[in-house]
């Protein structure tokens, strides 16, 4: 027997532990799952988009703003990810819902017709801010500014909290719902 | 005026310079282009697929073999990339046609209805093997074993050769055809 | 007033959290500290040493073995690190004492005459093994096989345990001892 | 028979190809050589030093400026690298002589008593600027602003030019002098 879910959406703030959970899910789930992320999308965009008002910007306090060209590519990417799942790939999506409920609505539209498990990845803002320092590769302040914001109005099938639970444990909890 | 092309496919062996050309294309083309690659696809697969006969394997001599589960995810990825382009993103695809003409046929099917510029990225096998050492992050032998293989029976709109031409120059040549 | 310590040695098994603590120490300590690590040393060696009996080997179960040429370079590196500290740089050393007490003795010899804070970084073997999966860039099994081994017979000024304490908290605890 | 040289210093501007040559030297030289670099030193410093006048700064035009705390750590690092070589490690140093002849003089002092092969790594400024785009991970402008500057008044045993010669070829040329 295999899972009925075709997509797992992990939503959480920066440094909440999403990508670690995604890697663990790939390790513990019996089927092979592709892992895609908003971070990988940003990396696949032209560097110039990271320095212009049309693209994505990181304020000194860690706030992230996105412009029209970023949004266009992001929408196309969402369509593409949905098509991958529709074509038979199991897909884990690791995203940051900067728009909260509106971001979820965008994904709902893109993923229409697919079986999706919506997972909220929580982490206490101060703990996430500490892990941001541990990682050393993220603009300071992102973790704290996004910790609550990204969950506003979002509906989940399941929530995990990495504040005091290891990523692998969180992944195992998610896996029991997938299976 | 903007380009009529929606997709640029760069095909070449390992260490032929495709991803460098892709980055340069993103820098020199006026519109924002997404850059996707087979390397990024492999990174988004479960690590276990890199160690089993069902996934992707790297022989000591650099030869690459792929199994059924890899192919399934790869086909779904191709469908997804095509959907991104169909949804309005300009996409540069950086791939290695291990199957030569058959690989191109797979892409032709996936990209049906889209305006595609097919670009062959050549590099002398011995020079590519040297650059593999320079990079230091690839299994030795891949460059040499793929240099000619990946171009067998493939039809291009344009070919560039990085043996004696800088990646940026190659990208500029490609850009004149895109524009 | 500045610290009397010139060197902080962090010893712990793979995936115990040493390098994260080192980054946090750099962030919380008032003076600038250089951070050096056995991982960086391995990266600075010729790739061929990672594939020969003379260098460093990783068994399928995660066990690490080192040969004579590795040891020669390692000893020279220890001498060099000590010289950096002697020349006025504050240095954090992030190491894995595969030889337990004997490894500490090697460092004691190299660091003779310098004020050293010896810190043990503990992490429950099963938790560390889980974090190894989260990271996804280490041979599986290293964390578990090293968790206890590296502390055998080693004397510390201070021990921290990342099993249930965040790296930043551990770093703050260490910082209070640094002065 | 083994080489009489204990240290190879590679000096050149950003994106001139030094680190690629260093990797190739490690591959072609019969003895194991450690490879250290100014880039690795910067990575081992606290991130805060990269954002303050006391540390290292990158101007929008690619110019690099260093402050007193950076210099202190750099001097200590030079002493440490010399000590590694003195303790028996063969060491390749990959540096950018922002101070030209004065930088060489600093290294001469640090490396006193050691057999050093001084190698200039040249690359046409425009070609290096193109490769900076290809790499995509360096501030734009560094390559061009450093191309000539770093060689001012520096005396070499040997110069190589990567403008039209592959890194592996350059490494082989250097290797014949190493002996």
């Amino acid at each position: 027997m295999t899972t009925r879910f075709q997509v797992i959406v992990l939503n959480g703030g920066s440094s909440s532990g999403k990508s670690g959970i995604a890697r663990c899910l790939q390790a513990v789930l019996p089927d092979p799952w592709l892992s895609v992320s908003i971070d990988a999308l940003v990396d696949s965009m032209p560097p110039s988009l990271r320095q212009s008002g049309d693209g994505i910007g990181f304020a000194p306090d860690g706030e992230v703003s996105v412009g029209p060209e970023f949004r266009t590519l992001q929408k196309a990417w969402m369509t593409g990810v949905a098509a991958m799942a529709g074509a038979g790939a199991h897909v884990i999506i690791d995203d940051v819902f900067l728009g909260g409920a509106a971001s979820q609505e965008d994904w709902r539209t893109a993923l229409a017709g697919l079986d999706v498990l919506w997972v909220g990845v929580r982490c206490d803002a101060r703990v996430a801010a500490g892990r941001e320092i541990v990682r050393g590769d993220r603009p300071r302040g992102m973790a704290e500014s996004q910790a609550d914001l990204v969950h506003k109005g979002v509906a989940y099938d399941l929530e995990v909290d990495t504040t005091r639970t290891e990523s692998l444990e969180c992944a195992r909890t998610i896996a029991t719902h997938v299976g």
Side-chain angles (χ1 to χ4, degrees), chain A:
Chain A
M1 193 214 71
T2 187
T3 175
R4 71 172 178 92
F5 288 107
Q6 297 163 284
V7 176
I8 301 170
V9 175
L10 304 175
N11 174 46
S14 183
S15 290
S16 63
K18 298 178 306 296
S19 64
I21 291 175
R23 272 192 294 274
C24 290
L25 280 170
Q26 290 188 304
V28 302
L29 290 168
D31 292 316
W33 286 70
L34 273 188
S35 177
V36 304
S37 73
I38 184 72
D39 284 357
L41 173 65
V42 172
D43 286 346
S44 74
M45 291 184 181
S48 59
L49 274 197
R50 282 169 239 161
Q51 296 148 5
S52 85
D54 289 344
I56 184 165
F58 303 94
D61 67 350
E63 212 179 313
V64 177
S65 59
V66 300
E69 298 205 327
F70 182 91
R71 270 181 231 279
T72 302
L73 293 179
Q74 187 183 20
K75 287 261 172 122
W77 172 70
M78 292 165 84
T79 303
V81 170
M84 287 180 207
H90 289 100
V91 183
I92 301 163
I93 299 169
D94 160 358
D95 198 5
V96 181
F97 288 4
L98 290 175
S103 300
Q104 185 172 36
E105 199 47 43
D106 287 344
W107 273 116
R108 272 197 213 283
T109 305
L111 300 171
L114 294 164
D115 277 314
V116 181
L117 184 75
W118 299 92
V119 181
V121 180
R122 302 262 180 185
C123 182
D124 174 83
R126 289 197 48 235
V127 170
R131 291 178 188 168
E132 193 171 68
I133 297 173
V134 176
R135 298 171 66 170
D137 63 349
R138 288 293 183 287
R140 293 280 281 276
M142 280 177 67
E144 191 142 15
S145 78
Q146 299 177 353
D148 298 316
L149 182 76
V150 301
H151 298 291
K152 276 213 179 126
V154 180
Y156 297 114
D157 297 307
L158 174 69
E159 294 186 53
V160 294
D161 189 325
T162 67
T163 310
R164 271 179 217 89
T165 309
E166 296 288 312
S167 297
L168 181 55
E169 279 316 298
C170 295
R172 283 186 178 133
T173 301
I174 297 167
T176 62
H177 284 73
V178 172

